[in-house]
Amino acid sequence: MAALNPIKVSVGSIVSEENLCAALDITMEELIFAKNLSEDEKYQASSVEKSDGTVRKIFNPDFRIRKIQRRLNKRIFSNAKVIKWPDHLYGSVPNQTNENEEWVNKDYVSCAARHCGAKSILKMDIKDFFDNIHKVFVYDIFSKFLKYGPEVSETLSKICCMHNHVVQGALTSSYIASLVLYDVEGYVVEKLQRKNLVYTRLVDDITISSKVSSYDFSYASDLVKSMLSQKELPLNQKKTKIQFTSSEPLTVHGLRVAFKQPRLPSDEVARIRTAVKNIEALASECGYRTTHAYRHDFNRCMGRVNKLSRVNHEKHESLIMRLLKVYPLPSKRDIERTKKIVARLERDYATKRETYWYSRRFHSAHERLNILKRSFPCVAKELRRRIRPLRPKYD
C-alpha cells in the first residue's frame, strides 16, 4: 500500500543556520537580513478580484525573502530526494513516479480522475486556508517533519510567514498548506478507505466520493472536521456540498466524473469553441493582431483550448489548428521594445543575473523574440544571438 502521509526520504538534517546557508547556497548576511526584516517590510500587499466578485489580498515577498523561499521550494519541498508525497494530495505538489515507476500528474484533472465512477460526492472547503495556518504549525513542519534544528525551524517559519500566519503570495505557502496535515491526514484517508471511500485534497478543496448511491457521509464529515480542528483550521460551511448522481451530474474541480475519465461539461466546451471564434473575428480586424490586447486575448484562449488536451477531448486538435492560423504578429514598435530589453539585460548581467526580476526580463525577451521572428526573422536572429550568453543564474 502506498504511504498515506508525506514522508521525509532524506536522512540528513539541517541543524544550524550555517548548514541552512550551505543547503540553499546563500550567504549568512542574506539570511540574517531576510529574517530581520520587519513584518511590513517582508511583503507588499496588493489585491485581485476573484471570480465571485470578492477581493483577495496577495502579498508579494521582498526579493530577499523571495530568493530564500524559491530555493526552499526547489531544493526541499519539490525535491523527490527529500519528500515523497502521498497519493491523495494534488495541486501544489510536484508530479512524481508511483510504486510501479509510472509517471503521475498531480494536477486537478488527475485529482478528479480519482473520483470517476462515483455516485455520491462530498465536497468540503477549508475557510481562508493560508490565513488560518498559524506559524506554530509551520514551525512544526520544519522541526518535527523535516527534523531541522530549533534555530533553523524558527528562522524558516519566520521567513515563510507574516504576522504569525501563512500568506497568499509567498512562494512556499502552497507547499506548507499541503504539509500542514502531514501527521493526521493519512489516518483519515486510511479510515475512509476501509469504508470504500476515496479521499483527495487539492490545496484547500477536500473531496470524498463513494460508488454507492445516496451515500450517508456523516461519519466521513465528522472525521474531516476532527482532523482540521487539530490544526485550528475552520471549515467553510457555505462551500460544503453533497452531490448524488440521481439528482445532478457529478463534478469534481469543474470536471464531470460519471465516466471512465474526467470530461469537461458540454457547456464549457461550447464556451471554448465560442472563444476561438471570437479570436478569429478579432484577428480579421485590420492591424489588431499586432496589438498587446490581442496577444492577451489569444494567450488566454490558447490556455482554455489546452484544457481540452488534458482531458483528451476530440476537438482539441482542430481548435489548435484554427488558432495557429491567427497567431499574434509583431509590429515595428516591438523591435524597439525588444532591443531595449536586450540592452538592459546586457547592462545588468554582471550584477543582477541571480535575481528573480532579471530572470523575468530574460524570459520575456525570449517570448518577444518568438513573436518577432514571424515578421522580422533577421532582427530576431541577431537579438537572440546577443542574449544567448546572458542566461540568468536562477534556482
Side-chain angles (χ1 to χ4, degrees):
M1 180 184 293
L4 299 180
N5 276 321
I7 296 175
K8 182 191 176 188
V9 294
S10 63
V11 295
S13 178
I14 301 176
V15 297
S16 67
E17 289 190 337
E18 288 77 9
N19 295 149
L20 178 63
C21 290
L24 301 183
D25 192 20
I26 60 174
T27 65
M28 181 61 72
E29 289 75 15
E30 287 178 302
L31 180 64
I32 293 173
F33 196 97
K35 76 173 185 177
N36 286 337
L37 288 170
S38 70
E39 296 298 292
D40 293 329
E41 289 174 324
K42 288 196 294 186
Y43 296 91
Q44 183 176 1
S46 61
S47 299
V48 296
E49 186 175 343
K50 297 194 288 186
S51 58
D52 61 2
T54 59
V55 174
R56 173 186 287 129
K57 271 198 169 183
I58 302 292
F59 295 88
N60 300 309
D62 177 272
F63 72 92
R64 289 153 290 205
I65 296 288
R66 179 183 291 275
K67 179 177 181 179
I68 296 173
Q69 291 180 348
R70 187 173 67 240
R71 296 193 179 183
L72 280 171
N73 285 353
K74 183 172 183 180
R75 303 189 181 195
I76 296 172
F77 291 134
S78 67
N79 188 343
K81 295 180 180 179
V82 177
I83 298 175
K84 180 175 176 58
W85 297 88
D87 292 344
H88 63 268
L89 289 180
Y90 292 86
S92 60
V93 300
N95 298 335
Q96 61 187 27
T97 55
N98 61 17
E99 293 177 335
N100 299 320
E101 298 302 316
E102 299 168 329
W103 191 249
V104 178
N105 285 311
K106 302 292 278 184
D107 63 0
Y108 75 102
V109 178
S110 296
C111 185
R114 293 283 305 279
H115 300 281
C116 279
K119 294 183 179 179
S120 303
I121 289 178
L122 167 65
K123 297 178 181 179
M124 307 176 81
D125 178 86
I126 304 172
K127 185 176 181 180
D128 299 329
F129 193 14
F130 289 178
D131 288 347
N132 280 301
I133 300 176
H134 194 274
K135 180 182 171 185
V136 67
F137 297 110
V138 180
Y139 179 92
D140 188 69
I141 289 170
F142 289 114
S143 177
K144 295 182 180 178
F145 175 69
L146 289 169
K147 297 180 171 52
Y148 293 167
E151 183 183 35
V152 172
S153 299
E154 176 61 28
T155 294
L156 290 179
S157 58
K158 184 175 182 180
I159 285 173
C160 294
C161 293
M162 176 183 179
H163 295 303
N164 291 320
H165 64 85
V166 172
V167 294
Q168 187 88 34
L171 278 62
T172 48
S173 292
S174 292
Y175 285 110
I176 289 170
S178 294
L179 281 172
V180 70
L181 300 170
Y182 77 91
D183 56 339
V184 294
E185 197 166 29
Y187 299 114
V188 171
V189 175
E190 185 176 21
K191 290 177 180 179
L192 294 177
Q193 284 179 348
R194 290 200 287 266
K195 302 293 184 182
N196 296 317
L197 299 176
V198 176
Y199 173 105
T200 62
R201 178 162 65 90
L202 185 85
V203 190
D204 58 350
D205 291 324
I206 294 171
T207 305
I208 301 171
S209 68
S210 170
K211 289 184 167 57
V212 176
S213 298
S214 301
Y215 187 84
D216 181 359
F217 286 108
S218 300
Y219 173 71
S221 178
D222 289 342
L223 277 180
V224 172
K225 291 176 182 177
S226 176
M227 171 186 73
L228 296 180
S229 69
Q230 294 180 62
K231 303 292 181 175
E232 301 172 11
L233 298 171
L235 268 177
N236 188 337
Q237 299 291 352
K238 293 181 180 179
K239 290 189 176 181
T240 297
K241 183 179 180 181
I242 296 177
Q243 294 179 311
F244 298 129
T245 189
S246 58
S247 58
E248 60 183 311
L250 300 188
T251 61
V252 175
H253 308 311
L255 299 173
R256 295 181 64 184
V257 294
F259 311 94
K260 290 184 178 179
Q261 292 183 335
R263 295 184 185 179
L264 283 168
S266 57
D267 58 344
E268 173 65 9
V269 177
R271 285 193 292 268
I272 292 173
R273 294 167 69 176
T274 300
V276 173
K277 189 174 181 179
N278 290 339
I279 287 294
E280 291 172 327
L282 290 173
S284 67
E285 297 181 16
C286 182
Y288 196 66
R289 286 176 68 183
T290 65
T291 66
H292 282 281
Y294 179 78
R295 290 177 198 174
H296 177 270
D297 292 340
F298 179 91
N299 290 335
R300 184 179 180 186
C301 184
M302 179 67 80
R304 295 181 68 184
V305 170
N306 281 331
K307 288 170 63 178
L308 298 175
S309 172
R310 190 63 188 86
V311 295
N312 299 314
H313 196 280
E314 59 180 6
K315 292 295 183 181
H316 173 254
E317 187 174 350
S318 62
L319 292 178
I320 284 291
M321 294 305 296
R322 287 169 61 179
L323 285 179
L324 291 177
K325 295 178 181 178
V326 291
Y327 250 125
L329 295 176
S331 65
K332 289 188 177 180
R333 183 179 297 179
D334 285 308
I335 296 177
E336 298 307 314
R337 287 174 175 164
T338 308
K339 284 182 177 179
K340 288 180 180 179
I341 293 176
V342 172
R344 190 177 177 189
L345 289 171
E346 290 172 329
R347 184 192 69 201
D348 292 344
Y349 175 74
T351 58
K352 298 182 179 180
R353 66 182 181 273
E354 294 187 11
T355 66
Y356 169 78
W357 294 110
Y358 179 91
S359 178
R360 282 280 299 269
R361 294 202 306 270
F362 179 86
H363 292 296
S364 174
H366 266 289
E367 291 174 5
R368 287 179 176 271
L369 289 173
N370 288 336
I371 296 175
L372 273 183
K373 72 178 181 181
R374 294 170 195 156
S375 298
F376 309 104
C378 293
V379 175
K381 184 177 180 180
E382 170 59 20
L383 292 175
R384 201 178 296 278
R385 181 194 63 78
R386 285 171 58 184
I387 71 169
R388 193 170 294 123
L390 304 177
R391 294 195 67 84
K393 183 181 178 183
Y394 178 64
D395 65 349

